[in-house]
PDB file of all heavy atoms in Angstrom:
ATOM      1  N   MET M 210      98.876  38.218 -19.890  1.00  0.00           N
ATOM      2  CA  MET M 210      99.679  37.620 -18.752  1.00  0.00           C
ATOM      3  C   MET M 210      98.861  37.426 -17.475  1.00  0.00           C
ATOM      4  O   MET M 210      99.386  37.609 -16.372  1.00  0.00           O
ATOM      5  CB  MET M 210     100.898  38.458 -18.583  1.00  0.00           C
ATOM      6  CG  MET M 210     101.755  38.622 -19.739  1.00  0.00           C
ATOM      7  SD  MET M 210     103.287  39.555 -19.413  1.00  0.00           S
ATOM      8  CE  MET M 210     102.534  41.176 -19.025  1.00  0.00           C
ATOM      9  N   GLY M 211      97.533  37.188 -17.680  1.00  0.00           N
ATOM     10  CA  GLY M 211      96.679  36.932 -16.523  1.00  0.00           C
ATOM     11  C   GLY M 211      96.724  38.186 -15.571  1.00  0.00           C
ATOM     12  O   GLY M 211      96.448  39.287 -16.053  1.00  0.00           O
ATOM     13  N   ASP M 212      96.944  37.915 -14.284  1.00  0.00           N
ATOM     14  CA  ASP M 212      96.873  39.056 -13.362  1.00  0.00           C
ATOM     15  C   ASP M 212      97.965  40.065 -13.436  1.00  0.00           C
ATOM     16  O   ASP M 212      98.018  41.032 -12.736  1.00  0.00           O
ATOM     17  CB  ASP M 212      96.669  38.530 -11.920  1.00  0.00           C
ATOM     18  CG  ASP M 212      97.934  37.717 -11.491  1.00  0.00           C
ATOM     19  OD1 ASP M 212      98.910  37.638 -12.238  1.00  0.00           O
ATOM     20  OD2 ASP M 212      97.859  37.100 -10.328  1.00  0.00           O
ATOM     21  N   ARG M 213      98.898  39.783 -14.393  1.00  0.00           N
ATOM     22  CA  ARG M 213      99.987  40.758 -14.633  1.00  0.00           C
ATOM     23  C   ARG M 213      99.704  41.632 -15.836  1.00  0.00           C
ATOM     24  O   ARG M 213     100.619  42.417 -16.242  1.00  0.00           O
ATOM     25  CB  ARG M 213     101.346  40.029 -14.789  1.00  0.00           C
ATOM     26  CG  ARG M 213     101.890  39.278 -13.554  1.00  0.00           C
ATOM     27  CD  ARG M 213     103.060  38.613 -13.713  1.00  0.00           C
ATOM     28  NE  ARG M 213     103.002  37.413 -14.569  1.00  0.00           N
ATOM     29  CZ  ARG M 213     103.636  37.326 -15.704  1.00  0.00           C
ATOM     30  NH1 ARG M 213     104.483  38.203 -16.133  1.00  0.00           N
ATOM     31  NH2 ARG M 213     103.453  36.151 -16.513  1.00  0.00           N
ATOM     32  N   GLY M 214      98.481  41.593 -16.334  1.00  0.00           N
ATOM     33  CA  GLY M 214      98.147  42.440 -17.373  1.00  0.00           C
ATOM     34  C   GLY M 214      98.480  42.035 -18.813  1.00  0.00           C
ATOM     35  O   GLY M 214      98.426  40.779 -19.056  1.00  0.00           O
ATOM     36  N   ALA M 215      98.885  42.915 -19.631  1.00  0.00           N
ATOM     37  CA  ALA M 215      99.120  42.497 -21.013  1.00  0.00           C
ATOM     38  C   ALA M 215     100.109  43.508 -21.658  1.00  0.00           C
ATOM     39  O   ALA M 215     100.325  44.645 -21.104  1.00  0.00           O
ATOM     40  CB  ALA M 215      97.883  42.588 -21.925  1.00  0.00           C
ATOM     41  N   PHE M 216     100.823  43.083 -22.652  1.00  0.00           N
ATOM     42  CA  PHE M 216     101.649  44.020 -23.456  1.00  0.00           C
ATOM     43  C   PHE M 216     101.362  43.774 -24.945  1.00  0.00           C
ATOM     44  O   PHE M 216     100.885  42.710 -25.299  1.00  0.00           O
ATOM     45  CB  PHE M 216     103.105  43.823 -23.106  1.00  0.00           C
ATOM     46  CG  PHE M 216     103.768  42.592 -23.565  1.00  0.00           C
ATOM     47  CD1 PHE M 216     104.302  42.407 -24.886  1.00  0.00           C
ATOM     48  CD2 PHE M 216     103.879  41.478 -22.700  1.00  0.00           C
ATOM     49  CE1 PHE M 216     104.977  41.292 -25.279  1.00  0.00           C
ATOM     50  CE2 PHE M 216     104.562  40.317 -23.037  1.00  0.00           C
ATOM     51  CZ  PHE M 216     105.015  40.198 -24.372  1.00  0.00           C
ATOM     52  N   ARG M 225     102.384  48.589 -22.388  1.00  0.00           N
ATOM     53  CA  ARG M 225     102.041  47.632 -21.402  1.00  0.00           C
ATOM     54  C   ARG M 225     100.807  48.206 -20.649  1.00  0.00           C
ATOM     55  O   ARG M 225     100.751  49.409 -20.357  1.00  0.00           O
ATOM     56  CB  ARG M 225     103.150  47.420 -20.377  1.00  0.00           C
ATOM     57  CG  ARG M 225     104.400  46.944 -21.097  1.00  0.00           C
ATOM     58  CD  ARG M 225     105.589  46.902 -20.064  1.00  0.00           C
ATOM     59  NE  ARG M 225     106.839  46.928 -20.878  1.00  0.00           N
ATOM     60  CZ  ARG M 225     107.371  45.786 -21.392  1.00  0.00           C
ATOM     61  NH1 ARG M 225     106.691  44.603 -21.244  1.00  0.00           N
ATOM     62  NH2 ARG M 225     108.454  45.817 -22.039  1.00  0.00           N
ATOM     63  N   ILE M 226      99.880  47.350 -20.250  1.00  0.00           N
ATOM     64  CA  ILE M 226      98.687  47.713 -19.488  1.00  0.00           C
ATOM     65  C   ILE M 226      98.553  46.754 -18.323  1.00  0.00           C
ATOM     66  O   ILE M 226      98.639  45.546 -18.521  1.00  0.00           O
ATOM     67  CB  ILE M 226      97.491  47.610 -20.394  1.00  0.00           C
ATOM     68  CG1 ILE M 226      97.467  48.592 -21.539  1.00  0.00           C
ATOM     69  CG2 ILE M 226      96.160  47.959 -19.530  1.00  0.00           C
ATOM     70  CD1 ILE M 226      97.262  49.992 -21.192  1.00  0.00           C
ATOM     71  N   PRO M 227      98.415  47.348 -17.121  1.00  0.00           N
ATOM     72  CA  PRO M 227      98.246  46.416 -15.921  1.00  0.00           C
ATOM     73  C   PRO M 227      96.843  45.782 -16.056  1.00  0.00           C
ATOM     74  O   PRO M 227      95.899  46.281 -16.604  1.00  0.00           O
ATOM     75  CB  PRO M 227      98.442  47.364 -14.723  1.00  0.00           C
ATOM     76  CG  PRO M 227      98.034  48.713 -15.281  1.00  0.00           C
ATOM     77  CD  PRO M 227      98.462  48.723 -16.700  1.00  0.00           C
ATOM     78  N   ALA M 228      96.746  44.622 -15.234  1.00  0.00           N
ATOM     79  CA  ALA M 228      95.427  44.003 -15.100  1.00  0.00           C
ATOM     80  C   ALA M 228      94.569  44.899 -14.340  1.00  0.00           C
ATOM     81  O   ALA M 228      94.939  45.650 -13.373  1.00  0.00           O
ATOM     82  CB  ALA M 228      95.553  42.707 -14.454  1.00  0.00           C
ATOM     83  N   ARG M 229      93.243  44.943 -14.554  1.00  0.00           N
ATOM     84  CA  ARG M 229      92.279  45.613 -13.825  1.00  0.00           C
ATOM     85  C   ARG M 229      91.965  44.834 -12.577  1.00  0.00           C
ATOM     86  O   ARG M 229      91.749  43.653 -12.631  1.00  0.00           O
ATOM     87  CB  ARG M 229      90.950  45.902 -14.612  1.00  0.00           C
ATOM     88  CG  ARG M 229      91.090  46.982 -15.671  1.00  0.00           C
ATOM     89  CD  ARG M 229      89.883  47.177 -16.465  1.00  0.00           C
ATOM     90  NE  ARG M 229      89.902  48.437 -17.164  1.00  0.00           N
ATOM     91  CZ  ARG M 229      89.203  49.509 -16.792  1.00  0.00           C
ATOM     92  NH1 ARG M 229      88.420  49.465 -15.718  1.00  0.00           N
ATOM     93  NH2 ARG M 229      89.322  50.669 -17.452  1.00  0.00           N
ATOM     94  N   PRO M 230      91.771  45.472 -11.427  1.00  0.00           N
ATOM     95  CA  PRO M 230      91.486  44.706 -10.157  1.00  0.00           C
ATOM     96  C   PRO M 230      90.067  44.241 -10.306  1.00  0.00           C
ATOM     97  O   PRO M 230      89.115  45.071 -10.507  1.00  0.00           O
ATOM     98  CB  PRO M 230      91.620  45.826  -9.120  1.00  0.00           C
ATOM     99  CG  PRO M 230      91.617  47.208  -9.815  1.00  0.00           C
ATOM    100  CD  PRO M 230      92.054  46.941 -11.192  1.00  0.00           C
ATOM    101  N   VAL M 231      89.856  43.050 -10.190  1.00  0.00           N
ATOM    102  CA  VAL M 231      88.551  42.389 -10.318  1.00  0.00           C
ATOM    103  C   VAL M 231      88.477  41.106  -9.536  1.00  0.00           C
ATOM    104  O   VAL M 231      89.418  40.421  -9.380  1.00  0.00           O
ATOM    105  CB  VAL M 231      88.236  42.129 -11.837  1.00  0.00           C
ATOM    106  CG1 VAL M 231      89.226  41.098 -12.397  1.00  0.00           C
ATOM    107  CG2 VAL M 231      86.782  41.779 -12.022  1.00  0.00           C
ATOM    108  N   VAL M 233      87.864  37.522  -9.498  1.00  0.00           N
ATOM    109  CA  VAL M 233      87.813  36.580 -10.612  1.00  0.00           C
ATOM    110  C   VAL M 233      86.798  35.453 -10.183  1.00  0.00           C
ATOM    111  O   VAL M 233      87.007  34.745  -9.156  1.00  0.00           O
ATOM    112  CB  VAL M 233      89.150  35.966 -10.868  1.00  0.00           C
ATOM    113  CG1 VAL M 233      89.092  34.829 -11.959  1.00  0.00           C
ATOM    114  CG2 VAL M 233      90.056  37.053 -11.420  1.00  0.00           C
ATOM    115  N   VAL M 281      91.952  44.737 -22.468  1.00  0.00           N
ATOM    116  CA  VAL M 281      92.091  44.373 -21.075  1.00  0.00           C
ATOM    117  C   VAL M 281      90.791  44.532 -20.297  1.00  0.00           C
ATOM    118  O   VAL M 281      90.377  43.789 -19.511  1.00  0.00           O
ATOM    119  CB  VAL M 281      93.283  45.159 -20.441  1.00  0.00           C
ATOM    120  CG1 VAL M 281      93.221  45.048 -18.930  1.00  0.00           C
ATOM    121  CG2 VAL M 281      94.587  44.658 -20.999  1.00  0.00           C
ATOM    122  N   LEU M 282      89.983  45.684 -20.612  1.00  0.00           N
ATOM    123  CA  LEU M 282      88.781  45.872 -19.993  1.00  0.00           C
ATOM    124  C   LEU M 282      87.798  44.781 -20.372  1.00  0.00           C
ATOM    125  O   LEU M 282      87.066  44.301 -19.428  1.00  0.00           O
ATOM    126  CB  LEU M 282      88.271  47.258 -20.410  1.00  0.00           C
ATOM    127  CG  LEU M 282      86.809  47.553 -19.964  1.00  0.00           C
ATOM    128  CD1 LEU M 282      86.727  47.600 -18.465  1.00  0.00           C
ATOM    129  CD2 LEU M 282      86.383  48.944 -20.521  1.00  0.00           C
ATOM    130  N   SER M 284      88.289  41.749 -21.157  1.00  0.00           N
ATOM    131  CA  SER M 284      88.708  40.548 -20.519  1.00  0.00           C
ATOM    132  C   SER M 284      88.338  40.628 -18.982  1.00  0.00           C
ATOM    133  O   SER M 284      87.797  39.650 -18.455  1.00  0.00           O
ATOM    134  CB  SER M 284      90.220  40.317 -20.629  1.00  0.00           C
ATOM    135  OG  SER M 284      90.568  39.106 -20.114  1.00  0.00           O
ATOM    136  N   ALA M 285      88.551  41.696 -18.336  1.00  0.00           N
ATOM    137  CA  ALA M 285      88.286  41.886 -16.957  1.00  0.00           C
ATOM    138  C   ALA M 285      86.733  41.662 -16.657  1.00  0.00           C
ATOM    139  O   ALA M 285      86.417  41.127 -15.660  1.00  0.00           O
ATOM    140  CB  ALA M 285      88.774  43.218 -16.362  1.00  0.00           C
ATOM    141  N   VAL M 288      85.946  37.841 -16.865  1.00  0.00           N
ATOM    142  CA  VAL M 288      86.376  36.958 -15.743  1.00  0.00           C
ATOM    143  C   VAL M 288      85.617  37.232 -14.450  1.00  0.00           C
ATOM    144  O   VAL M 288      85.555  36.457 -13.550  1.00  0.00           O
ATOM    145  CB  VAL M 288      87.854  37.018 -15.423  1.00  0.00           C
ATOM    146  CG1 VAL M 288      88.697  36.674 -16.686  1.00  0.00           C
ATOM    147  CG2 VAL M 288      88.274  38.409 -14.949  1.00  0.00           C
TER     148      VAL M 288
END
Side-chain angles (χ1 to χ4, degrees):
M210 301 182 295
D212 60 6
R213 292 180 294 122
F216 69 87
R225 305 173 197 280
I226 297 287
R229 283 180 165 253
V231 65
V233 176
V281 167
L282 172 58
S284 185
V288 301

